[in-house]
Amino acid sequence: MSRREADVIIVGAGLSGLIAARTVLQAGLTPLVLEADERVGGRILTEDALPGVPVELGAQWIGDTHERMFALAAELGVETFPQYDEGETSYDLVGSGVLRENDFHARFGSELAELEKVLRLLDELAAEVPPEAPWLAPRAAAWDSITAGAWYDGQGLSPVARTLLEICTVGILAVPTVEVSLLHLLFTIQTCGVTSELFAESEGGAQTVRFVGGTGEIPKRLAALFTDHIVLNAPVLLIEHGTDRVTVHCRGGLVAEGRRVIVAISPTLAGRIMYDPPLPGVRDQLTQRLPNASAMKAFFIYDEPFWRADGLNGQLISDVGPARMSNDTCIPGDDHGVLLLFLEGEQARTFGRLPEEERRAAMTAELVRHFGERAARPEFYIDGEWSDRQWTRGCYNANCGPLVWTTFGHALAEPIGVIHWASTDTAIRWSAYMEGAVEAGERAAHAVIAELAG
Ligand SMILES: Cc1cc2nc3c(=O)[nH]c(=O)nc-3n(C[C@H](O)[C@H](O)[C@H](O)COP(=O)(O)OP(=O)(O)OC[C@H]3O[C@@H](n4cnc5c(N)ncnc54)[C@H](O)[C@@H]3O)c2cc1C
């Protein structure tokens, strides 16, 4: 058994935990980060698919309003570049057959106008939700007792508009809209600004900017600033907590003692740690009800981005195949063509369970329909499933089903004695995103620093 001592113990070396540690260190206190995995970064995971072609199995983009992430990248010397966005998107919805964007817009103009109206309504309703306490929204009780899906169904939308709305929303939440409450959807919109920021891939959207060398450079360089304060392969199993003291036990025998602990992991995983004395029932009831969503990314790498020459931007939106959406994720300065397919919600659950050969074949067929025969001949393929990963168990984040926010939501970020909570899932701005992970890490660290100063 080995022992370590620090002012603040931090569970998890994802972005939130690393930011908390750095903030604590900057305040003149000693942090100790305990990370279960053999690497830092958590839901940020860059793999070198081919030399010079890093792919993001985890987080990839930031958007114009992700101020903390821009500042962090600049500070760490990680450069950014814009997402490629020239050409038309390819659609295949509700039996339309494959249509290019201009043709799709010409044919379904009134359906798109219907969709726009509902998005504006969602923005109006979301503006009533206080992100720090969604349960206090004036209509919280009503909005929390209906699912987002049921509310969508009640808007009288045409099949094309309803299907598009579902695809856009599942692209954010990574679960079918019948699994989240309307209040949770409105909270998500409110933490991100407006629906146009959330759903758009062009200017103003959340997915407009990428990192040179891969997103993984961010946690890697951040952790390098205080390596001595990070222990890898140290899964936290038990947290003993007293009035001004905390003892954290890891698998493998490490015991860390400190004055405060920040648990910077998703709520459902936080609920799997043992606490002595046990946490209040309301906190455990909450973590029993905050499942991580289901998403995976699959990358097809070609000798060149052949779709660009056809006037396509590499994006597809479809309700036919395994992937509802795709993206051109080429690396500037490299000749390869890289297409990313998203499998989210039901698609991730169904196709993620198939042998790789089968899900790859299904995705290839979809790509060929949208981008032509050359799509069947990638040089390289890689995909990444997240629910199998013991220290993540699904992504992109935790979602609230009906009545969770209004019944248990207040226990999400509220400290319990010497225990504080971080992770993007507890953020009030860009919750579920890297931006939210940074905000939550800073918030928890500042609270601890204030307590220890007082
Ligand atoms: C496929 C995918 C795509 C995404 N795309 C984007 C995107 O484009 N843009 C964006 O902004 N965000 C995106 N995200 C979300 C983003 O990755 C997360 O919001 C952010 O990285 C979460 O950071 P975190 O520190 O809160 O949590 P995590 O990254 O989950 O970190 C938690 C850490 O705790 C560790 N841990 C877990 N249990 C224990 C334990 N018991 N003891 C010790 N350590 C433990 C884990 O190993 C992990 O390292 C994506 C996520 C995924 C998975």
Side-chain angles (χ1 to χ4, degrees):
M1 187 176 84
S2 56
R3 291 191 99 82
R4 294 275 301 255
E5 177 93 30
D7 291 313
V8 185
I9 313 296
I10 293 156
V11 183
L15 191 53
S16 208
L18 292 174
I19 287 290
R22 189 189 61 157
T23 311
V24 163
L25 198 56
Q26 284 170 340
L29 297 166
T30 48
L32 181 68
V33 184
L34 304 171
E35 166 57 49
D37 215 337
E38 61 191 11
R39 62 177 183 89
V40 300
R43 282 172 265 181
I44 299 171
L45 177 56
T46 306
E47 293 272 352
D48 280 322
L50 292 174
V53 190
V55 296
E56 308 292 358
L57 295 181
Q60 185 147 357
W61 291 275
I62 54 172
D64 296 352
T65 62
H66 295 193
E67 288 155 15
R68 289 179 173 85
M69 283 302 293
F70 274 109
L72 182 62
E75 182 196 324
L76 297 172
V78 180
E79 289 178 32
T80 59
F81 64 95
Q83 167 64 31
Y84 181 81
D85 188 29
E86 283 167 37
E88 292 182 81
T89 298
S90 179
Y91 287 83
D92 188 359
L93 286 177
V94 199
S96 69
V98 174
L99 288 175
R100 281 176 173 240
E101 188 170 334
N102 290 339
D103 297 333
F104 182 80
H105 280 235
R107 185 153 147 201
F108 294 110
S110 62
E111 284 85 349
L112 291 171
E114 282 174 36
L115 177 61
E116 200 51 39
K117 238 170 101 182
V118 171
L119 294 177
R120 293 293 75 75
L121 179 55
L122 283 170
D123 287 338
E124 275 171 37
L125 302 185
E128 293 181 33
V129 178
E132 67 288 355
W135 55 92
L136 296 180
R139 287 185 270 175
W143 291 343
D144 211 23
S145 45
I146 180 173
T147 68
W151 187 85
Y152 282 0
D153 287 341
Q155 301 309 302
L157 291 167
S158 60
V160 165
R162 175 68 182 88
T163 305
L164 256 176
L165 189 56
E166 185 74 15
I167 290 174
C168 291
T169 315
V170 175
I172 302 299
L173 302 172
V175 291
T177 58
V178 290
E179 290 184 24
V180 298
S181 78
L182 175 60
L183 182 63
H184 181 74
L185 172 67
L186 297 173
F187 159 80
T188 305
I189 295 168
Q190 175 68 334
T191 77
C192 303
V194 283
T195 48
S196 56
E197 283 188 37
L198 200 53
F199 296 146
E201 303 226 328
S202 50
E203 207 181 321
Q207 308 200 158
T208 48
V209 173
R210 295 167 58 196
F211 298 101
V212 174
T215 316
E217 286 299 308
I218 301 269
K220 196 172 93 188
R221 293 188 196 192
L222 190 55
L225 299 175
F226 47 89
T227 327
D228 292 352
H229 297 272
I230 302 172
V231 184
L232 299 178
N233 300 305
V236 169
L237 305 178
L238 165 67
I239 297 178
E240 293 174 305
H241 52 115
T243 44
D244 204 32
R245 207 73 205 138
V246 63
T247 307
V248 179
H249 300 259
C250 300
R251 194 176 72 197
L254 174 66
V255 177
E257 293 192 75
R259 297 159 71 197
R260 293 292 182 278
V261 61
I262 296 174
V263 180
I265 64 182
S266 62
T268 192
L269 294 185
R272 293 177 189 185
I273 294 175
M274 277 195 292
Y275 300 85
D276 185 12
L279 300 184
V282 64
R283 168 74 197 182
D284 201 75
Q285 289 269 300
L286 171 77
T287 55
Q288 289 176 45
R289 287 168 172 78
L290 273 182
N292 285 336
S294 311
M296 64 184 288
K297 294 165 82 176
F299 292 85
F300 290 73
I301 304 182
Y302 304 92
D303 55 353
E304 61 174 349
F306 55 86
W307 54 92
R308 292 184 180 182
D310 292 338
L312 292 166
N313 61 14
Q315 291 177 36
L316 69 81
I317 298 183
S318 160
D319 65 347
V320 177
R324 298 304 193 224
M325 290 194 275
S326 71
N327 242 307
D328 173 324
T329 61
C330 300
I331 307 289
D334 181 86
D335 291 339
H336 289 94
V338 187
L339 280 177
L340 155 63
L341 287 167
F342 293 97
L343 277 71
E344 290 155 327
E346 282 303 328
Q347 268 60 39
R349 292 167 186 172
T350 314
F351 289 92
R353 283 189 211 120
L354 293 178
E356 184 192 304
E357 277 307 299
E358 283 179 43
R359 67 172 172 263
R360 182 176 161 175
M363 285 186 269
T364 303
E366 179 76 351
L367 285 172
V368 167
R369 283 177 353 91
H370 287 271
F371 302 118
E373 277 303 322
R374 287 184 71 181
R377 296 188 297 279
E379 265 181 31
F380 190 82
Y381 171 86
I382 183 171
D383 64 23
E385 215 284 328
W386 285 86
S387 62
D388 281 341
R389 290 179 184 270
Q390 184 177 12
W391 307 115
T392 307
R393 292 298 186 202
C395 65
Y396 306 114
N397 67 309
N399 289 305
C400 294
L403 303 182
V404 175
W405 269 122
T406 45
T407 316
F408 306 105
H410 63 92
L412 181 61
E414 207 169 77
I416 299 172
V418 291
I419 307 175
H420 290 247
W421 311 104
S423 99
T424 192
D425 314 271
T426 67
I428 59 171
R429 183 95 180 105
W430 288 104
S431 170
Y433 291 77
M434 292 182 281
E435 180 76 5
V438 176
E439 183 232 87
E442 286 175 355
R443 186 246 311 134
H446 286 306
V448 162
I449 293 162
E451 280 181 16
L452 294 182

